[in-house]
Short mmCIF file of all heavy atoms in Angstrom, two decimals:
data_model
loop_
_atom_site.label_atom_id
_atom_site.label_comp_id
_atom_site.label_asym_id
_atom_site.label_seq_id
_atom_site.Cartn_x
_atom_site.Cartn_y
_atom_site.Cartn_z
N ARG A 891 -9.36 20.45 -4.37
CA ARG A 891 -8.18 19.80 -3.60
C ARG A 891 -8.25 18.28 -3.56
O ARG A 891 -9.27 17.65 -3.50
CB ARG A 891 -8.17 20.43 -2.26
CG ARG A 891 -8.96 19.75 -1.14
CD ARG A 891 -8.73 20.43 0.25
NE ARG A 891 -9.47 21.68 0.34
CZ ARG A 891 -10.27 22.00 1.46
NH1 ARG A 891 -10.24 21.19 2.46
NH2 ARG A 891 -11.00 23.13 1.51
N LEU A 892 -7.05 17.76 -3.68
CA LEU A 892 -6.83 16.34 -3.50
C LEU A 892 -6.25 16.21 -2.13
O LEU A 892 -5.27 16.90 -1.75
CB LEU A 892 -5.82 15.78 -4.52
CG LEU A 892 -6.35 15.70 -6.00
CD1 LEU A 892 -5.23 15.36 -6.95
CD2 LEU A 892 -7.42 14.56 -6.09
N VAL A 893 -6.78 15.26 -1.32
CA VAL A 893 -6.28 15.11 0.08
C VAL A 893 -5.84 13.62 0.24
O VAL A 893 -6.61 12.69 -0.01
CB VAL A 893 -7.34 15.47 1.08
CG1 VAL A 893 -6.87 15.34 2.46
CG2 VAL A 893 -7.84 16.92 0.84
N TYR A 894 -4.63 13.48 0.77
CA TYR A 894 -4.13 12.18 1.05
C TYR A 894 -3.51 12.07 2.44
O TYR A 894 -2.68 12.94 2.73
CB TYR A 894 -3.19 11.69 0.00
CG TYR A 894 -2.69 10.28 0.16
CD1 TYR A 894 -3.52 9.20 -0.25
CD2 TYR A 894 -1.48 9.97 0.68
CE1 TYR A 894 -3.19 7.93 -0.13
CE2 TYR A 894 -1.10 8.65 0.91
CZ TYR A 894 -1.88 7.57 0.45
OH TYR A 894 -1.48 6.29 0.62
N PHE A 895 -3.85 11.18 3.24
CA PHE A 895 -3.23 10.99 4.57
C PHE A 895 -2.16 9.93 4.42
O PHE A 895 -2.48 8.78 3.89
CB PHE A 895 -4.28 10.58 5.57
CG PHE A 895 -5.25 11.71 6.05
CD1 PHE A 895 -6.23 12.20 5.30
CD2 PHE A 895 -5.07 12.30 7.29
CE1 PHE A 895 -7.03 13.26 5.61
CE2 PHE A 895 -5.91 13.26 7.77
CZ PHE A 895 -6.91 13.76 6.90
N GLY A 896 -1.03 10.06 4.97
CA GLY A 896 0.03 9.14 4.95
C GLY A 896 1.15 9.41 5.92
O GLY A 896 0.94 10.21 6.77
N TYR A 897 2.28 8.90 5.65
CA TYR A 897 3.52 9.25 6.45
C TYR A 897 4.73 9.08 5.62
O TYR A 897 4.71 8.23 4.72
CB TYR A 897 3.56 8.47 7.77
CG TYR A 897 3.67 6.94 7.66
CD1 TYR A 897 4.78 6.37 8.05
CD2 TYR A 897 2.61 6.24 7.22
CE1 TYR A 897 4.88 4.97 8.03
CE2 TYR A 897 2.71 4.82 7.03
CZ TYR A 897 3.84 4.24 7.51
OH TYR A 897 3.94 2.80 7.47
N THR A 898 5.80 9.80 5.90
CA THR A 898 6.94 9.80 5.05
C THR A 898 7.76 8.59 5.09
O THR A 898 8.50 8.28 4.17
CB THR A 898 7.86 10.97 5.34
OG1 THR A 898 8.60 10.73 6.60
CG2 THR A 898 7.09 12.33 5.53
N TYR A 899 7.57 7.68 6.17
CA TYR A 899 8.33 6.51 6.24
C TYR A 899 7.58 5.37 5.60
O TYR A 899 7.96 4.17 5.66
CB TYR A 899 8.65 6.12 7.67
CG TYR A 899 9.74 6.98 8.37
CD1 TYR A 899 9.34 8.17 8.93
CD2 TYR A 899 11.07 6.58 8.20
CE1 TYR A 899 10.43 8.87 9.46
CE2 TYR A 899 12.04 7.50 8.80
CZ TYR A 899 11.71 8.62 9.39
OH TYR A 899 12.70 9.36 9.89
N CYS A 900 6.44 5.70 4.90
CA CYS A 900 5.70 4.73 4.17
C CYS A 900 6.27 4.57 2.74
O CYS A 900 6.20 5.53 1.98
CB CYS A 900 4.26 5.22 4.14
SG CYS A 900 3.14 4.66 2.85
N PRO A 901 7.02 3.54 2.48
CA PRO A 901 7.82 3.55 1.26
C PRO A 901 7.03 3.01 0.01
O PRO A 901 7.52 3.30 -1.07
CB PRO A 901 8.93 2.49 1.57
CG PRO A 901 8.20 1.56 2.46
CD PRO A 901 7.20 2.24 3.24
N ASP A 902 5.96 2.32 0.26
CA ASP A 902 5.37 1.67 -0.91
C ASP A 902 4.19 2.53 -1.53
O ASP A 902 4.30 2.97 -2.58
CB ASP A 902 4.85 0.25 -0.44
CG ASP A 902 4.32 -0.60 -1.62
OD1 ASP A 902 4.81 -0.38 -2.69
OD2 ASP A 902 3.42 -1.37 -1.26
N ILE A 903 3.06 2.57 -0.77
CA ILE A 903 1.89 3.18 -1.37
C ILE A 903 1.84 4.68 -1.28
O ILE A 903 1.24 5.30 -2.23
CB ILE A 903 0.58 2.60 -0.73
CG1 ILE A 903 0.49 2.87 0.74
CG2 ILE A 903 0.46 1.04 -0.93
CD1 ILE A 903 -0.89 2.71 1.27
N CYS A 904 2.39 5.33 -0.25
CA CYS A 904 2.30 6.76 -0.26
C CYS A 904 2.92 7.48 -1.36
O CYS A 904 2.34 8.31 -1.98
CB CYS A 904 2.81 7.33 1.16
SG CYS A 904 1.93 6.62 2.58
N PRO A 905 4.20 7.18 -1.74
CA PRO A 905 4.79 7.92 -2.82
C PRO A 905 4.03 7.51 -4.19
O PRO A 905 3.97 8.36 -5.06
CB PRO A 905 6.23 7.31 -2.93
CG PRO A 905 6.54 6.69 -1.63
CD PRO A 905 5.16 6.30 -1.12
N THR A 906 3.42 6.32 -4.24
CA THR A 906 2.71 5.94 -5.43
C THR A 906 1.48 6.91 -5.61
O THR A 906 1.17 7.44 -6.66
CB THR A 906 2.23 4.51 -5.35
OG1 THR A 906 3.38 3.69 -5.02
CG2 THR A 906 1.63 3.96 -6.70
N ALA A 907 0.75 7.09 -4.46
CA ALA A 907 -0.44 7.98 -4.53
C ALA A 907 -0.04 9.43 -4.83
O ALA A 907 -0.66 10.08 -5.65
CB ALA A 907 -1.20 7.95 -3.19
N LEU A 908 1.01 9.83 -4.25
CA LEU A 908 1.51 11.22 -4.40
C LEU A 908 2.00 11.55 -5.83
O LEU A 908 1.78 12.66 -6.40
CB LEU A 908 2.59 11.60 -3.37
CG LEU A 908 2.09 11.73 -1.90
CD1 LEU A 908 3.25 11.96 -0.97
CD2 LEU A 908 0.99 12.68 -1.72
N VAL A 909 2.52 10.54 -6.42
CA VAL A 909 3.08 10.64 -7.83
C VAL A 909 1.77 10.84 -8.68
O VAL A 909 1.68 11.69 -9.60
CB VAL A 909 3.94 9.51 -8.29
CG1 VAL A 909 4.07 9.45 -9.80
CG2 VAL A 909 5.31 9.50 -7.63
N ALA A 910 0.77 10.05 -8.49
CA ALA A 910 -0.41 10.18 -9.27
C ALA A 910 -1.18 11.48 -9.11
O ALA A 910 -1.49 12.18 -10.01
CB ALA A 910 -1.44 8.99 -8.89
N MET A 911 -1.21 11.98 -7.85
CA MET A 911 -1.80 13.29 -7.46
C MET A 911 -0.98 14.32 -8.27
O MET A 911 -1.57 15.24 -8.79
CB MET A 911 -1.75 13.52 -6.00
CG MET A 911 -2.79 12.73 -5.29
SD MET A 911 -2.58 12.68 -3.47
CE MET A 911 -2.59 14.39 -2.97
N GLN A 912 0.29 14.24 -8.22
CA GLN A 912 1.17 15.28 -8.74
C GLN A 912 0.94 15.41 -10.29
O GLN A 912 0.78 16.45 -10.84
CB GLN A 912 2.66 14.84 -8.47
CG GLN A 912 3.62 15.78 -9.23
CD GLN A 912 4.43 16.42 -8.25
OE1 GLN A 912 5.38 15.88 -7.71
NE2 GLN A 912 4.21 17.70 -7.96
N GLN A 913 0.97 14.22 -10.97
CA GLN A 913 0.81 14.21 -12.46
C GLN A 913 -0.54 14.67 -12.80
O GLN A 913 -0.69 15.48 -13.84
CB GLN A 913 1.24 12.85 -12.95
CG GLN A 913 2.70 12.57 -12.80
CD GLN A 913 3.17 11.20 -13.34
OE1 GLN A 913 2.31 10.42 -13.62
NE2 GLN A 913 4.41 10.97 -13.45
N ALA A 914 -1.55 14.17 -12.17
CA ALA A 914 -2.94 14.62 -12.50
C ALA A 914 -3.00 16.10 -12.33
O ALA A 914 -3.68 16.77 -13.12
CB ALA A 914 -3.93 13.81 -11.71
N SER A 915 -2.58 16.60 -11.18
CA SER A 915 -2.75 18.03 -10.87
C SER A 915 -2.03 18.88 -11.87
O SER A 915 -2.52 20.00 -12.30
CB SER A 915 -2.19 18.34 -9.50
OG SER A 915 -2.77 17.51 -8.53
N LYS A 916 -0.93 18.47 -12.35
CA LYS A 916 -0.07 19.17 -13.32
C LYS A 916 -0.87 19.36 -14.57
O LYS A 916 -0.86 20.40 -15.18
CB LYS A 916 1.22 18.46 -13.61
CG LYS A 916 2.42 19.31 -13.99
CD LYS A 916 3.71 18.54 -13.93
CE LYS A 916 4.43 18.65 -15.22
NZ LYS A 916 5.50 17.68 -15.34
#
Side-chain angles (χ1 to χ4, degrees):
Chain A
R891 88 178 77 136
L892 288 170
V893 181
Y894 186 79
F895 285 73
Y897 63 111
T898 74
Y899 288 89
C900 155
D902 185 32
I903 64 166
C904 299
T906 309
L908 292 176
V909 166
M911 283 166 61
Q912 172 120 76
Q913 291 181 345
S915 306
K916 206 169 130 192

